[in-house]
Amino acid sequence: LTHLSTGPDVPGQLVRSIWFWFVTLGFTLMSTIISIVAVRRIRKPLLKATSALTNLGELSWEPRLEDDGRGEVADLGAAFNRAVGTLGTEFTRLERRSGELEQSARFLETVLGAMIEGVIVVDSRQCVTYANSAASTLLGSRFNAQQMTGRQVLEVVRNQKMDQTVRAIFSGQDRLRTELELIGVQRSLNLFATRLSGGPTPGAVLVLHDITDLRRLERLRREFVSNVSHELKTPLAAIEAYVETLLNGAVHDTNACDRFLRGIETDRKSTRLNSSHIPLSRMPSSA
């Protein structure tokens, strides 16, 4: 408080004190008004920026900051709008590309699912990342595509030759072909292994082809040839013995010659050859 002294200048001091308080109050009021105006001018673009960021979080790419043409706030708004526009364009492109990739993946899944060959894809850790339904069928009923995913190849198919083939692919071989015998499911498979391009090896594709029927037909052919050879050997051996006896002099013995010739003619085994003893039903059909 202003100290008022006693004397004839008391009214003047009172007037100066009143003016001092008025001036102080005026400055305080002006400062308050200026602060309020400044806060409002700053708060308004901040609220707009907050709203724009909220819309951005909801993937709304329409610019929301108005360019009022005043100072740094306007520059900030213009830069924000340009950034949002660029992000929106890029996101739209990525979204369209993602849709194309998803469509391609569905098409590939349909194609692989319709194949009779089993297809298994392994990653760089030799773990299964994909297997079609045919692979599940060829490997046995206890396997399915979902159970294979994420597991080691040797864990999925306990076959040493298959594991060695996969390891050879990851050691640098581009393509390998081998044949597998799956004892548990009584099946023979051709395995074609191909390394995926890239270095180090990012993975491999394994294609399984069922050759069980082909190997069965080959076994039937071998058995058929063996049976025919056996059926031919016995009568031919008897005929050969008769002929050798005749050549060694029995041909001049009328009785012996007649007996040997009749023996060849009436030999039951020789007769079996002419009567197609081997049934045609035992002959394998051609593959």
Side-chain angles (χ1 to χ4, degrees), residues 5-6 12 29 36 52 54 83 106 130 134 141 149 206 227 242 266 284:
S5 60
T6 59
L29 184 61
I36 293 174
T54 302
R106 287 196 299 267
Y130 173 82
S141 58
T149 304
L206 311 178
N227 290 335
Y242 286 135
T266 60

Side-chain angles (χ1 to χ4, degrees), residues 138-140 142 157-160 180-189 212:
L138 294 176
L139 294 176
R142 65 192 185 97
V157 185
R158 297 188 179 278
N159 186 282
Q160 196 66 30
L180 307 177
E181 290 291 337
L182 302 182
I183 306 301
V185 293
Q186 298 294 316
R187 188 170 282 127
S188 299
L189 302 176
T212 305

Side-chain angles (χ1 to χ4, degrees), residues 82-241:
R82 286 194 299 271
V84 171
T86 302
L87 285 175
T89 302
E90 187 66 17
F91 182 82
T92 302
R93 186 185 69 82
L94 292 175
E95 195 173 36
R96 183 170 58 252
R97 179 60 176 165
S98 176
E100 294 173 355
L101 291 175
E102 185 176 352
Q103 184 177 2
S104 298
R106 287 196 299 267
F107 174 78
L108 184 61
E109 176 71 24
T110 302
V111 172
L112 293 175
M115 293 177 60
I116 61 173
E117 288 82 9
V119 178
I120 300 175
V121 181
V122 298
D123 59 15
S124 58
R125 298 179 296 113
Q126 300 181 25
C127 292
V128 177
T129 59
Y130 173 82
N132 65 353
S133 57
S136 303
T137 302
L138 294 176
L139 294 176
S141 58
R142 65 192 185 97
F143 297 109
N144 60 53
Q146 289 74 23
Q147 289 176 341
M148 295 181 195
T149 304
R151 298 167 62 186
Q152 292 282 337
V153 175
L154 186 59
E155 182 184 0
V156 173
V157 185
R158 297 188 179 278
N159 186 282
Q160 196 66 30
K161 186 178 289 188
M162 186 174 188
D163 182 60
Q164 291 173 354
T165 302
V166 173
R167 291 181 183 276
I169 286 293
F170 279 89
S171 298
Q173 295 286 339
D174 289 332
R175 292 180 180 85
L176 285 175
R177 176 187 176 277
T178 188
E179 187 172 323
L180 307 177
E181 290 291 337
L182 302 182
I183 306 301
V185 293
Q186 298 294 316
R187 188 170 282 127
S188 299
L189 302 176
N190 256 341
L191 170 63
F192 300 89
T194 304
R195 184 176 68 90
L196 297 177
S197 60
T201 304
V205 178
L206 311 178
V207 179
L208 303 171
H209 180 67
D210 191 0
I211 57 172
T212 305
D213 291 339
L214 179 62
R215 292 293 176 260
R216 182 178 60 83
L217 288 175
E218 289 177 352
R219 286 193 298 270
L220 287 176
R221 286 192 181 95
R222 288 194 296 268
E223 291 174 1
F224 174 75
V225 172
S226 177
N227 290 335
V228 169
S229 299
H230 176 73
E231 297 289 346
L232 288 174
K233 281 180 180 179
T234 302
L236 288 178
I239 293 172
E240 184 179 3

Side-chain angles (χ1 to χ4, degrees), residues 235 263-275 277:
I264 293 174
E265 182 181 4
T266 60
D267 188 273
R268 289 186 306 149
K269 296 182 175 61
S270 177
T271 304
R272 290 170 62 189
L273 291 176
N274 293 328
S275 62
H277 171 73

